[in-house]
């Protein structure tokens, strides 16, 4: 896939994730014990042989840059292109990106036009999935459509607001498009992954921004399709796709990994999810540990009990502590006899001995990064 | 090319065949044998170098080097992918006049004098690739400089009754060595050499050349070079090391060293104080899954595992599956082993990529007063349904 470059948008749902994205981009939100959300689009692209990837981000990107580094873990540390960060002020823009189109427009000269690739795959970091992008790209090229969007059935329910949803006929041809709408069940939700010819993308961005249209889905895809100027193909994805657009979804989707079908789908043979290496010791399970149905990363020291939980790297659970239905992020420590249920502990939290925090499945209690409770 | 001077260059001897590790080193050099769930033996001396500020390391290989070469790669996992220095694999090679294998530890370094000279070092640190320990070599080098020593040899105290199994340093009260005895029948001291040497490069070079010219020499550090330097009247000092150290050259010691990582107060704490990290090449594997049917007690389990069975006092390495109703006790499971249901493994080492079919029984339990015999399954084996591998059996 030498003729395809990738663009990943890192900040799309920051505002809907509350305190979880207070000091990080949505893309750098931890997932599944050892990952960040961006690991999924980045690895999917790398697995497809894409070797030139731009990460579009505009604020809170320190943790993202730390995580991605030179892109070495994704085989993107290359002499000529590799990995680039695309930020508004680094290119002389005088304002924030007003939408994906604005970002593409701003980066068109510095990054896109210079790039030798013919196609672009665009992706958000909101949907966790393992997808064979080669298949998507080849389908797109064969179809002759202007743009192909990857869609998922079963997400639209008439309640959930979707950036972009499509309805297709039996042959898979798009018969309707909606934007920012709680589309009914017979619509397929966009997974935020698009394939498009690079020159066409640049030209479209220029034309849209010239008319104050900045929003990719609504003001480019939907509008040009309605005006008959754009042909849109839908690629239906049949594997697991987890939409992380709210703290509740984030919680639910982390715990989903405990289900074998989800775990074995996201980490299936042939597609590898890479992440930043941390040299941590294998997890130690103490004499009194009772660990049931948990996802456990390296570096944990478990002396207490945990069930139905995701334990990130370096989590410590002391004797007599009990952790149920929780997402515990890296290096958080749970003191002797503490009791946690339905909680999200952000990184570096210290739970004092005997503390009891009980949330609910619908509204897990969030303890912010570094807090001592 | 103009090479900048390096204060100290480390030479890591990784060429040993490791025949006492039996099937585990059939196709693998001893330093590349998996250890501690996610490491290989060589990670320990290599990480020690990095943590001691030594950034130029030559690894001398000759036996089954393929896996080791691949593992070391460009040295990136240890931060040794340097534009100047870094890690270099040094196999024997064909020279213009003659070509030959490494004939001994001293000859291996001798053949690589040109490599060392490129860095014009003051000191050369000689290490073994088959020891498990955490050590700050910088402290030892400081000691070497303070004493204005020509050769400093790290020693540790061993029980007097075992001293006849080691190379023993007999020292004066100031720590200077007056005699070196290889496996003495009647040891005079309990200070055993750890196979870690700091040399003044000028001295080492001189004696390597002389040793090479001696047709009767075995070209071995302990046997030939150290005694020769001592006899010539140079200053040799013993450097006392008090931490954990283990030669993992036998099945029993490899098993023991793995067990030493367990317990609430382990004999060797991999976590350390958080500063001297042991680095390893990491593979892209998801976090482990521990099922509700599993019961894991006093275990180390690395990432990429799926555990449905019960584990006690064991080390389970990256990428292993232990299915329901299987029991593993007092054992070391190396990377990517697949264990089906109803399997019992006790006092065993199971090599990389093995498949253990359901109902198999490997090894057995021992009473406190019995001598433990460790069953060993070599790399890439399949143990069939209900197959029995006896205690101490090697496959």
């Amino acid at each position: 896939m030498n003729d395809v470059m990738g663009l990943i948008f890192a900040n799309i749902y920051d505002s809907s994730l509350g305190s979880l994205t207070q000091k990080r981009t949505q893309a750098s939100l931890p997932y599944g014990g050892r990952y960040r959300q961006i690991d999924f689009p980045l690895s999917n692209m790398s697995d497809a042989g894409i070797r030139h990837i731009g990460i579009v981000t505009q604020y809170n990107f320190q943790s993202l840059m730390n995580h991605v580094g030179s892109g070495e873990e994704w085989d993107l540390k290359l002499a000529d292109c590799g990995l680039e960060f695309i930020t508004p002020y680094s290119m002389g823009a005088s304002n924030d990106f007003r939408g994906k189109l604005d970002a593409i427009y701003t980066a068109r000269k510095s990054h896109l036009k210079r790039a030798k690739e013919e196609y672009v795959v665009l992706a958000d970091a909101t949907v966790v999935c393992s997808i064979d992008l080669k298949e998507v790209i080849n389908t797109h090229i064969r179809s002759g459509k202007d743009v192909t969007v990857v869609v998922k059935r079963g997400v639209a329910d008439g309640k959930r607001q979707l950036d972009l949803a499509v309805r297709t006929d039996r042959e898979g041809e798009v018969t309707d498009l909606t934007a920012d709408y709680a589309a009914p069940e017979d619509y397929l939700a966009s997974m935020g992954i698009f394939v498009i010819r690079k020159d066409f993308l640049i030209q479209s961005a220029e034309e849209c921004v010239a008319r104050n249209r900045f929003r990719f889905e609504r003001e480019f895809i939907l509008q040009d399709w309605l005006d008959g100027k754009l042909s849109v193909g839908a690629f239906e994805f049949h594997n697991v796709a987890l939409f992380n657009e709210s703290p509740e979804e984030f919680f639910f989707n982390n715990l989903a990994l405990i289900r074998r079908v989800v775990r074995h789908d996201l980490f299936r043979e042939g597609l590898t999810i890479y992440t930043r290496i941390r040299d941590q010791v294998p997890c130690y399970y103490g004499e009194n540990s009772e660990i049931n149905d948990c996802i456990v990363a390296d570096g944990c020291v478990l002396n207490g009990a945990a069930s139905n939980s995701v334990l990130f790297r370096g989590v410590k659970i002391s004797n007599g502590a009990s952790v149920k239905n929780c997402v515990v992020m890296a290096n958080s420590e749970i003191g002797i006899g503490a009791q946690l249920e339905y909680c999200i502990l952000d990184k570096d939290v210290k739970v004092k001995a005997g503390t009891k925090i009980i949330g609910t499945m619908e509204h897990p209690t969030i303890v912010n990064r570094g807090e001592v409770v | 090319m103009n090479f900048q001077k390096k204060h100290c260059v480390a030479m890591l001897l990784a060429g040993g065949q490791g025949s006492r590790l039996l099937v585990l080193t059939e196709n693998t050099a001893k330093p590349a044998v998996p250890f501690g769930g996610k490491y290989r033996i060589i990670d320990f001396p290599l990480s020690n170098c990095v943590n001691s500020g030594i950034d130029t390391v030559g690894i001398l290989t000759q036996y089954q080097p393929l896996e080791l070469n691949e593992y070391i790669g460009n040295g990136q996992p240890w931060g040794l992918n340097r534009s100047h220095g870094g890690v270099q694999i040094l196999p024997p090679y064909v020279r213009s006049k003659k070509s030959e294998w490494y004939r001994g530890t001293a000859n291996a370094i001798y053949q690589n004098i040109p490599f060392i000279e490129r860095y014009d070092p003051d000191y050369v640190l000689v290490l073994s690739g088959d020891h498990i320990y955490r050590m700050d070599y910088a402290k030892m080098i400081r000691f070497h400089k303070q004493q204005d020593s020509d050769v400093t040899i790290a020693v540790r105290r061993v029980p007097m009754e075992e001293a006849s199994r080691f190379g023993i340093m007999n020292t004066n009260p100031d720590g200077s060595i007056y005699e070196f005895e290889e496996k003495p029948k009647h040891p005079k001291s309990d200070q055993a050499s750890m196979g870690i040497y700091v040399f003044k490069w000028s001295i080492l070079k001189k004696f390597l050349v002389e040793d090479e010219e001696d047709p009767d020499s075995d070209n071995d550090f302990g046997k030939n070079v150290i005694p020769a330097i001592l006899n010539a009247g140079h200053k040799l000092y013993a450097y006392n090391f008090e931490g954990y150290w283990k030669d993992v050259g036998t099945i029993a010691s490899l098993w023991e060293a793995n067990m030493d990582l367990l317990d609430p107060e382990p004999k060797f704490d991999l976590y350390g104080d958080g500063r001297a990290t042991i680095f390893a090449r990491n593979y892209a594997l998801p976090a482990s899954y521990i099922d509700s049917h599993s019961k894991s007690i006093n275990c180390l389990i690395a990432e990429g595992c799926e555990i449905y069975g019960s584990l006690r006092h064991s080390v389970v390495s990256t990428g292993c599956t232990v299915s329901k109703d299987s029991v593993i006790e007092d054992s070391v499971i190396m990377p990517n082993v697949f264990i089906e249901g109803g399997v019992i493994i006790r006092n065993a080492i199971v090599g990389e990529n093995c498949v253990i079919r359901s109902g198999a029984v490997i090894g057995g339990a021992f009473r406190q007063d019995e001598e433990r015999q460790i069953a060993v399954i070599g790399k890439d084996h399949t143990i069939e349904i209900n197959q029995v591998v006896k205690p101490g059996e090697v496959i």
Side-chain angles (χ1 to χ4, degrees):
Chain A
M1 289 287 149
N2 268 336
D3 52 354
V4 183
M5 68 169 286
L7 270 183
I8 298 174
F9 296 90
N11 295 84
I12 302 300
Y13 284 93
D14 282 5
S15 55
S16 63
L17 281 153
S19 60
L20 294 173
T21 48
Q22 202 170 22
K23 283 183 181 153
R24 58 166 79 93
T25 60
Q26 203 228 356
S28 46
L29 195 58
Y31 180 79
R34 66 194 300 267
Y35 300 98
R36 306 276 187 149
Q37 293 206 153
I38 196 165
D39 293 339
F40 289 84
L42 211 47
S43 300
N44 289 334
M45 287 180 182
S46 176
D47 279 341
I50 295 173
R51 288 290 169 265
H52 178 196
I53 297 175
I55 298 177
V56 180
T57 182
Q58 52 186 345
Y59 39 79
N60 267 347
F61 48 75
Q62 182 59 46
S63 75
L64 182 65
M65 283 186 159
N66 278 346
H67 178 72
V68 175
S70 62
E72 192 154 25
E73 273 92 2
W74 295 267
D75 274 341
L76 293 167
K77 190 185 174 189
L78 298 175
D80 52 349
C81 43
L83 194 75
E84 300 170 313
F85 275 87
I86 300 172
T87 59
Y89 303 104
S90 64
M91 290 178 299
S94 52
N95 50 272
D96 284 356
F97 294 143
R98 286 161 289 188
K100 283 193 222 174
L101 283 173
D102 197 18
I104 294 162
Y105 175 80
T106 314
R108 72 195 190 287
K109 284 187 182 145
S110 55
H111 292 85
L112 299 178
K113 280 185 180 165
R114 278 197 336 198
K116 60 185 191 300
E117 292 85 1
E118 192 179 346
Y119 293 93
V120 187
V121 175
L122 300 96
D124 298 342
T126 47
V127 180
V128 168
C129 67
S130 287
I131 183 169
D132 180 0
L133 289 174
K134 273 188 294 219
E135 197 191 338
V136 180
I137 294 157
N138 289 334
T139 305
H140 171 75
I141 293 170
R142 272 201 309 272
S143 74
K145 294 280 198 299
D146 294 326
V147 58
T148 294
V149 54
V150 181
V151 293
K152 182 73 190 162
R153 201 176 289 277
V155 179
D157 57 3
K159 283 176 268 177
R160 185 194 176 95
Q161 180 94 353
L162 297 169
D163 290 348
L164 187 71
V166 307
R167 195 179 58 204
T168 58
D169 63 16
R170 269 195 209 144
E171 277 73 48
E173 289 295 317
V174 173
T175 56
D176 191 23
L177 276 180
T178 64
D180 308 320
Y181 174 58
E185 280 165 20
D186 57 335
Y187 281 68
L188 292 87
S190 158
M191 288 168 55
I193 300 172
F194 300 87
V195 186
I196 190 166
R197 196 181 285 275
K198 190 186 70 187
D199 291 343
F200 182 67
L201 177 69
I202 294 169
Q203 188 199 331
S204 303
E206 284 173 345
E207 286 173 12
C208 286
V209 171
R211 292 167 181 82
N212 261 346
R213 291 154 56 184
F214 303 114
R215 298 181 57 203
F216 187 82
E217 278 88 350
R218 187 184 190 86
E219 294 175 332
F220 164 48
I221 302 284
L222 175 62
Q223 189 155 350
D224 279 3
W225 181 77
L226 287 172
D227 293 348
K229 290 198 287 187
L230 184 78
S231 60
V232 178
F235 179 98
E236 188 177 347
F237 182 60
H238 295 286
N239 289 80
V240 168
L242 305 171
F243 290 63
N244 281 333
E245 291 170 12
S246 67
E248 292 74 23
E249 282 185 334
F250 167 82
F251 178 71
F252 187 77
N253 287 336
N254 263 284
L255 296 190
L257 270 181
I258 292 163
R259 302 210 311 272
R260 190 188 165 97
V261 280
V262 173
R263 198 167 68 239
H264 285 207
D265 186 286
L266 283 181
F267 304 111
R268 64 184 185 273
E269 210 136 302
L271 292 167
T272 307
I273 308 300
Y274 304 91
T275 189
R276 184 172 173 208
I277 297 304
R278 303 258 177 196
D279 277 279
Q280 288 196 323
V281 175
C283 171
Y284 178 69
Y285 297 75
E287 295 280 358
N288 302 314
S289 70
E290 271 183 60
I291 309 300
N292 295 313
D293 293 327
C294 284
I295 299 293
V296 183
D298 272 355
C300 293
V301 179
L302 309 179
N303 288 307
S307 62
N308 205 49
S309 296
V310 177
L311 310 177
F312 282 73
R313 289 162 168 172
V315 166
K316 304 217 167 23
I317 302 181
S318 308
N319 268 309
S322 145
V323 176
K324 274 187 205 163
N325 304 309
C326 289
V327 174
V328 185
M329 292 194 213
N331 303 319
S332 284
E333 296 180 9
I334 296 152
I336 295 169
Q339 254 183 292
L340 302 178
E341 228 173 298
Y342 295 111
C343 295
I344 300 173
L345 303 192
D346 207 319
K347 288 172 74 174
D348 305 318
V349 165
K350 282 199 171 54
V351 179
K352 288 191 226 159
T355 305
K356 195 168 167 181
I357 308 172
I358 313 286
T360 63
M361 187 157 77
E362 293 74 28
H363 297 288
T365 304
I366 302 177
V367 182
N368 290 332
R369 183 172 180 170
E371 277 187 356
V372 179
V373 289
Chain B
M1 211 193 295
N2 184 21
F3 278 88
Q4 206 184 318
K5 183 179 174 62
K6 291 277 180 192
H7 180 62
C8 179
V9 169
M11 299 297 274
L12 212 162
L13 300 163
Q17 195 173 340
S19 51
R20 286 176 303 155
L21 285 181
L22 312 172
V23 287
L24 295 176
T25 46
E26 223 163 50
N27 303 303
T28 306
K30 188 157 59 167
V33 168
F35 181 82
K38 64 177 284 192
Y39 307 94
R40 305 217 171 227
I41 297 170
I42 197 168
D43 288 329
F44 292 81
L46 215 46
S47 299
N48 286 340
C49 283
V50 174
N51 292 329
S52 306
I54 295 167
D55 64 9
T56 308
V57 184
I59 301 181
L60 300 139
T61 61
Q62 100 176 341
Y63 173 77
Q64 295 288 1
L66 222 58
E67 202 174 335
L68 187 62
N69 292 356
E70 193 190 333
Y71 185 70
I72 299 298
N74 67 350
Q76 185 263 331
W78 303 268
L80 288 171
N81 50 338
R82 300 294 191 102
S83 41
H84 176 55
V87 67
Q88 289 253 9
I89 301 264
L90 303 169
Y93 60 93
V94 178
R95 289 166 171 74
S96 55
K97 292 196 186 99
K98 56 175 182 178
S99 67
E100 55 187 358
W101 297 104
Y102 293 148
R103 279 175 281 121
T105 48
N107 175 256
I109 309 270
Y110 170 83
Q111 289 200 34
N112 286 290
I113 288 176
F115 167 79
I116 299 172
E117 296 266 85
R118 291 202 300 187
Y119 300 102
D120 185 23
D122 298 323
Y123 306 102
V124 170
L125 175 68
V126 176
L127 304 168
S128 293
D130 47 8
H131 298 160
I132 301 295
Y133 63 113
R134 191 186 262 122
M135 181 172 176
D136 185 353
Y137 303 135
K139 277 188 190 159
M140 180 173 172
I141 295 166
R142 261 203 306 280
F143 171 86
H144 178 86
K145 281 198 273 191
Q146 274 160 10
Q147 306 296 331
D148 192 28
S149 175
D150 293 315
V151 185
T152 300
I153 302 169
V155 296
R156 67 193 180 102
R157 297 227 127 92
V158 294
M160 207 64 193
E161 62 272 19
E162 288 177 27
S164 56
R165 286 169 40 210
F166 299 95
I168 295 295
M169 301 294 154
N170 298 320
T171 55
N172 299 309
D174 69 342
S176 61
I177 298 167
Y178 68 85
E179 189 182 24
F180 167 74
E181 291 183 292
E182 183 71 36
K183 297 182 180 153
K185 280 209 182 82
H186 305 288
K188 293 178 211 143
S189 141
D190 62 351
Q191 298 181 102
S193 166
M194 297 163 61
I196 300 165
Y197 309 94
V198 179
F199 291 93
K200 253 185 206 158
W201 172 232
S202 53
I203 301 278
L204 176 62
K205 189 181 165 191
K206 175 168 173 278
F207 281 88
L208 284 177
V209 172
E210 285 178 14
D211 181 65
E212 189 61 23
E213 286 162 357
D214 177 1
D216 297 328
S217 172
D218 289 333
N219 309 116
D220 185 84
F221 267 103
K223 224 161 155 187
N224 310 107
V225 176
I226 300 293
I229 299 177
L230 189 62
N231 293 337
H234 287 286
K235 279 202 280 186
L236 281 79
Y237 277 85
Y239 173 77
N240 276 297
F241 176 72
E242 297 197 331
Y244 180 92
W245 178 92
K246 194 149 211 143
D247 180 338
V248 287
T250 64
I251 292 294
S253 63
L254 179 66
W255 178 86
E256 252 175 54
N258 273 286
M259 296 301 124
D260 287 346
L261 307 173
L262 301 171
D263 301 328
E265 301 288 329
K267 292 199 179 95
F268 183 49
D269 188 357
L270 278 174
Y271 290 83
D273 60 1
R275 269 175 294 169
T277 305
I278 307 300
F279 302 97
R281 185 171 286 279
N282 283 259
Y283 298 94
L285 292 167
S288 285
Y289 169 70
I290 313 294
D291 189 70
S292 57
H293 292 95
S294 121
K295 181 90 183 134
S296 301
I297 282 175
N298 196 14
C299 284
L300 281 176
I301 303 175
E303 286 184 327
C305 291
E306 301 244 324
I307 310 291
Y308 298 85
S310 294
L311 313 175
R312 197 188 58 77
H313 198 247
S314 294
V315 174
V316 178
S317 309
T318 42
C320 290
T321 298
V322 180
S323 307
K324 230 174 117 180
D325 301 323
S326 283
V327 176
I328 299 176
E329 291 181 354
D330 304 308
S331 294
V332 179
I333 311 297
M334 288 184 173
N336 306 315
V337 172
F338 191 93
I339 298 169
E340 294 186 352
V343 169
I344 300 174
I345 302 177
R346 289 196 174 103
N347 290 296
I349 299 177
V350 180
E352 283 175 86
N353 314 324
C354 283
V355 177
I356 315 297
R357 298 245 180 259
S358 56
V361 177
I362 298 171
F366 293 93
R367 286 196 316 272
Q368 285 275 303
D369 56 336
E370 276 181 307
E371 194 195 337
R372 253 180 229 273
Q373 288 183 303
I374 306 302
V376 185
I377 315 290
K379 211 174 157 180
D380 302 322
H381 277 281
T382 298
I383 301 298
E384 298 302 339
I385 295 176
N386 297 335
Q387 190 178 338
V388 175
V389 179
K390 290 195 218 73
E393 197 177 334
V394 177
I395 290 185

